[in-house]
Amino acid sequence: MVYYIKKIADMVRYDCLFGVTMRNPELHWDHRSRMRRRFAESGLDAFDEHEALEMLLYAPIPRRDTNEISHELLLACGGSIADVLAAEHDELLSVHGVGENTASYLRLLGDAFRRVTAELLGKMCFRSEETIGTYATALLGCAPGGSAEVLYTDGDGYRIAGDTLYRGETHRTGGLTEKLLTRAESLGASAIILMHNHRHEPLSASDEDKAITESLRSAAARRGIEVFHVIVSDDGYIFI
């Protein structure tokens, strides 16, 4: 009896410290066990969007029902797991039940996904707009709005290197042309592929986008370097 009283006290103390509640611990843990067995038997394709996100939240939220939190995250961020993984830190924190650890965990998942995508798709030959557009969409489709990446390719269109230019809406584009050209020349690159996203915005190029492209393309042409600039949004991609 003393053992069980101590276990209950420990649970209450944990909940008080971390602000979580478990109205029915046995039901809660049994539900998680059933979800894990279901995943082991059928894979993620057998889950609805909110159920898949619910399971992802098991790691950062070990002692709370994550079903409701998953619904609220999807509602707040755009409706898909990709939208949640692309959300800004403050956007995630605005959802009830999401703390600093959970927000950081979700952003880590998003960055890990983008790194794996860049590694796998980076082996393609980037000589067509279709290939470039596919790569840019996969890489930036679930990145925070206003994010930008650059890819440097050789004369045959294969990836030499790739860099993240910025993440999120706050960034500076001053000196971008010289920065990209210096990097391209140091790599011996034949082409620069500039990519950025307009999350939840119309698929169109701003005046600033056009000015950056014109400046970069003009300076690169004098050095024999080709330039592609692609914009990704929820509606697809376009080239400038």
Side-chain angles (χ1 to χ4, degrees):
M1 179 64 71
V2 173
Y3 170 82
Y4 288 109
I5 292 175
K6 184 178 184 301
K7 291 295 289 185
I8 293 172
D10 287 343
M11 289 170 59
V12 171
R13 186 157 51 247
Y14 184 98
D15 289 350
C16 290
L17 284 171
F18 293 95
V20 298
T21 58
M22 284 177 58
R23 289 186 292 273
N24 192 330
E26 291 184 4
L27 180 63
H28 172 79
W29 289 116
D30 188 51
H31 171 70
R32 289 197 174 192
S33 296
R34 290 196 306 271
M35 292 284 277
R36 290 186 175 111
R37 286 196 299 270
R38 184 174 154 201
F39 172 72
E41 293 169 359
S42 306
L44 201 59
D45 289 341
F47 290 77
D48 291 333
E49 198 81 351
H50 75 277
E51 293 175 315
L53 181 57
E54 175 188 343
M55 285 195 68
L56 287 176
L57 292 172
Y58 287 171
I61 308 176
R63 300 176 68 87
R64 184 173 181 177
D65 183 359
T66 58
N67 183 279
E68 184 177 347
I69 298 173
S70 70
H71 280 287
E72 292 187 16
L73 274 167
L74 291 170
L75 182 63
C77 298
S80 72
I81 292 178
D83 290 317
V84 173
L85 298 185
E88 298 284 358
H89 196 75
D90 290 344
E91 188 178 2
L92 295 169
L93 290 176
S94 70
V95 175
H96 179 69
V98 175
E100 288 286 346
N101 287 344
T102 302
S104 295
Y105 175 79
L106 291 171
R107 294 199 64 191
L108 173 62
L109 285 181
D111 283 348
F113 172 79
R114 285 184 286 277
R115 178 172 292 187
V116 171
T117 298
E119 179 68 24
L120 294 178
L121 297 186
K123 297 178 173 64
M124 299 189 298
C125 179
F126 296 93
R127 292 304 300 171
S128 71
E129 290 192 350
E130 182 179 2
T131 301
I132 295 170
T134 298
Y135 178 85
T137 301
L139 195 62
L140 292 172
C142 65
S147 296
E149 301 272 348
V150 60
L151 195 66
Y152 302 94
T153 61
D154 62 21
D156 294 320
Y158 289 98
R159 180 184 187 273
I160 299 175
D163 298 325
T164 297
L165 294 179
Y166 43 80
R167 279 276 181 268
E169 301 292 350
T170 303
H171 57 268
R172 299 176 181 176
T173 57
L176 183 62
T177 292
E178 191 57 36
K179 175 182 177 180
L180 296 182
L181 288 175
T182 299
R183 174 79 161 136
E185 289 187 312
S186 70
L187 293 168
S190 295
I192 297 172
I193 301 173
L194 180 60
M195 305 164 280
H196 78 278
N197 68 356
H198 291 178
R199 184 167 176 251
H200 301 329
E201 294 180 13
L203 184 57
S204 60
S206 67
D207 290 341
E208 182 184 21
D209 294 333
K210 295 174 183 176
I212 290 172
T213 306
E214 183 179 351
S215 172
L216 178 60
R217 190 165 281 147
S218 176
R222 293 194 294 270
R223 309 185 196 192
I225 299 174
E226 193 174 7
V227 170
F228 299 89
H229 189 178
V230 59
I231 299 173
V232 175
S233 85
D234 300 340
D235 299 319
Y237 61 86
I238 58 171
F239 284 82
I240 303 177

